[in-house]
Amino acid sequence: MQTQTLERLESNVRTYSRSFPVVFTKARNARLTDEDGREYIDFLAGAGTLNYGHNNPHLKQALLDYLDSDGIVHGLDFWTAAKRDYLETLEEVILKPRGLDYKVHLPGPTGTNAVEAAIRLARVAQGRHNIVTFTNGFHGVTMGALATTGNRKFREATGGIPLQGSAFMPYDGYLGEHADTLDYFEKLLGDNSSGLDLPAAVIVETVQGEGGINVAGLDWLKRLERICRGHGILLIVDDIQAGCGRTGKFFSFEHAGITPDIVTNSKSLSGFGLPFAHVLMRPELDKWKPGQYNGTFRGFNLAFATAAAAMRKYWQDDTFERDVQRKGRVVEDRFQKIAAWIGEQGVNASERGRGLMRGIDVGDGELADKITAKAFEKGLVIETSGQAGEVVKCLCPLTIPDEDLLEGLDILEASVKEVFG
């Protein structure tokens, strides 16, 4: 396998190729193939970007048909037929059935672009600057989004430029199982001497992906919404990794029955791994002046085509989401058994997650790395997350066949047992 050119020319900033040092050449659904012909089951799925699997045939055909028709590929924010089809499909298939009334902002094509736009919009609409965010949250690595991201590794990479405009609060469970961390937030809001400037908005992930598959309780999310409403604070849900079906609903906040003021989506929004993001906002919050927040790649017509095809294929009724929830229960049950076995070896471990966004916390990053490295040797691509990389994290495609799902879980279990000797 020829990796010399890649190692010589690519920046040291690369990460995944260090954990999975092979050259991949093709992929289909939940399987990757390297240039030596070896297959791997994929429990990473582009870090949640490939919810519908690699090279999904329905979405691929929509893309090929669009290209074959000489459809607009790049068009700034021109009106195009592809954009109209995307917006109409989003409204009819996703928003209206959920009773949601949002306008759509198409920023740059990545998650951090969406977060930047969302927090800037909140400041413009509210006339206030402060954004409340949460411990272990991850919202991107551009400067505005990074100011709301907790992980020190990313925050230290600014070259010394200070990060401003945000205040961190403890996420659900951060202070222990029996503490409601919103008591602290509400106490600060009610005390004029607390030092907390009245926020323009709160930004939250309902399940923290990079933070370690930390799951916000449904009652906690409902209370957070009530607090925001009571104090005139906008609620932003960052649904970049947890959205597009990952938790078993199209939007992860549906489980709690809340209605955010602003929502960010990216990752699996295109359905095909194409860069694409949008910001959803209550119509009265659309305070932008023309061109005030722009970008060369604000809306990507190829992604419009595949995203609309994904919504029509998978979200016309609840069949797909029920299947995701079923598979989630399969992973949950198996992860609980693996965690219990690890506990029998004298190491505290636990399982957590929602839908097909699940993890096993083994309490130690080095141990988690050993498990994922062994799994890769055996043909499974799976990563870690958490503040010290201590959580083995499953983000398999939602379309994964049952046989691949079970084989991947078998590989992970065997890898855990080998690591423990």
Side-chain angles (χ1 to χ4, degrees):
M1 193 171 299
Q2 299 296 318
T3 63
Q4 296 91 334
T5 300
L6 296 161
E7 292 171 358
R8 179 170 56 86
L9 291 177
E10 190 175 4
S11 166
N12 288 331
V13 78
R14 64 188 175 88
T15 55
Y16 287 110
S17 57
R18 299 180 190 277
S19 299
F20 312 114
V22 300
V23 178
F24 294 106
T25 56
K26 61 182 180 180
R28 183 70 179 267
N29 202 346
R31 286 188 175 257
L32 292 156
T33 305
D34 70 20
E35 66 180 359
D36 289 338
R38 186 182 182 190
E39 286 194 345
Y40 301 81
I41 295 173
D42 187 3
F43 273 22
L44 175 59
T49 301
L50 296 161
N51 281 359
Y52 310 106
H54 295 269
N55 286 301
N56 183 292
H58 306 286
L59 311 189
K60 183 196 296 185
Q61 191 60 53
L63 178 62
L64 292 174
D65 289 345
Y66 187 78
L67 287 169
D68 192 54
S69 73
D70 286 336
I72 299 292
V73 173
H74 181 274
L76 298 170
D77 67 353
F78 292 168
W79 285 340
T80 66
K83 181 188 288 188
R84 181 177 58 204
D85 183 50
Y86 170 72
L87 292 174
E88 289 176 347
T89 305
L90 176 69
E91 183 177 46
E92 294 300 320
V93 177
I94 302 298
L95 299 182
K96 281 186 176 179
R98 291 160 178 79
L100 299 172
D101 181 19
Y102 289 132
K103 289 191 73 175
V104 185
H105 176 187
L106 300 165
T110 72
T112 196
N113 296 138
V115 169
E116 291 279 351
I119 60 179
R120 197 176 302 181
L121 174 65
R123 288 167 172 154
V124 168
Q126 295 279 75
R128 302 194 296 271
H129 77 281
N130 196 23
I131 305 293
V132 160
T133 182
F134 291 93
T135 51
N136 289 307
F138 181 89
H139 301 287
V141 296
T142 51
M143 293 299 283
L146 185 58
T148 64
T149 292
N151 193 299
R152 188 176 299 159
K153 176 181 72 174
F154 301 111
R155 294 174 65 84
E156 289 177 343
T158 67
I161 297 174
L163 297 168
Q164 299 176 338
S166 64
F168 283 84
M169 296 292 145
Y171 192 72
D172 191 20
Y174 188 78
L175 299 177
E177 183 178 348
H178 301 293
D180 188 339
T181 58
L182 292 177
D183 289 343
Y184 177 66
F185 182 32
E186 199 159 32
K187 174 70 173 177
L188 294 180
L189 287 172
D191 182 353
N192 290 333
S193 295
S194 69
L196 178 68
D197 294 327
L198 181 63
V202 167
I203 186 167
V204 66
E205 301 157 275
T206 68
V207 182
Q208 293 181 326
E210 298 308 305
I213 313 296
N214 305 313
V215 182
L218 303 185
D219 288 338
W220 188 90
L221 290 167
K222 290 175 183 177
R223 184 182 176 193
L224 178 61
E225 181 186 49
R226 290 196 301 271
I227 291 171
C228 288
R229 298 285 181 265
H231 290 271
I233 301 166
L234 299 180
L235 178 60
I236 304 170
V237 169
D238 180 343
D239 230 14
I240 289 164
Q241 189 165 117
C244 299
R246 174 55 54 183
T247 65
K249 299 282 188 182
F250 187 86
F251 297 113
S252 71
F253 56 80
E254 292 182 61
H255 299 278
I258 63 174
T259 304
D261 300 292
I262 301 173
V263 182
T264 63
N265 292 113
S266 184
K267 285 196 180 285
S268 279
L269 187 61
S270 77
F272 201 70
L274 300 174
F276 187 35
H278 69 204
V279 178
L280 306 177
M281 69 196 85
R282 288 192 289 108
E284 61 269 27
L285 296 176
D286 188 13
K287 303 296 186 182
W288 292 122
K289 297 174 183 176
Q292 193 171 30
Y293 193 101
N294 61 21
T296 304
F297 298 98
R298 45 184 152 155
F300 183 23
N301 284 270
L302 300 184
F304 289 147
T306 55
M311 288 185 282
R312 286 193 290 263
K313 172 67 179 176
Y314 294 104
W315 296 101
Q316 296 278 8
D317 57 33
D318 66 352
T319 302
F320 181 66
E321 70 177 45
R322 286 190 288 106
D323 194 52
V324 173
Q325 292 166 13
R326 177 188 64 82
K327 291 173 183 175
R329 290 190 292 271
V330 171
V331 177
E332 178 183 16
D333 178 69
R334 194 67 171 275
F335 273 21
Q336 287 178 347
K337 290 176 179 176
I338 293 171
W341 186 89
I342 293 172
E344 293 171 0
Q345 315 313 305
V347 174
N348 188 31
S350 60
E351 183 277 341
R352 56 179 178 260
R354 185 170 285 144
L356 272 174
M357 190 173 184
R358 312 210 72 89
I360 304 174
D361 186 342
V362 300
D364 180 85
E366 290 187 12
L367 178 58
D369 284 343
K370 289 178 182 178
I371 292 169
T372 57
K374 180 61 67 175
F376 184 64
E377 289 178 14
K378 294 177 173 294
L380 175 67
V381 174
I382 188 169
E383 71 167 337
T384 63
S385 67
Q387 59 91 17
E390 72 280 7
V391 178
V392 179
K393 173 184 176 184
C394 174
L395 289 177
C396 62
L398 308 183
T399 55
I400 187 172
D402 282 9
E403 55 268 29
D404 285 353
L405 179 62
L406 296 175
E407 184 178 346
L409 292 169
D410 287 343
I411 291 171
L412 181 61
E413 181 176 350
S415 301
V416 167
K417 291 182 175 180
E418 281 196 33
V419 166
F420 279 89

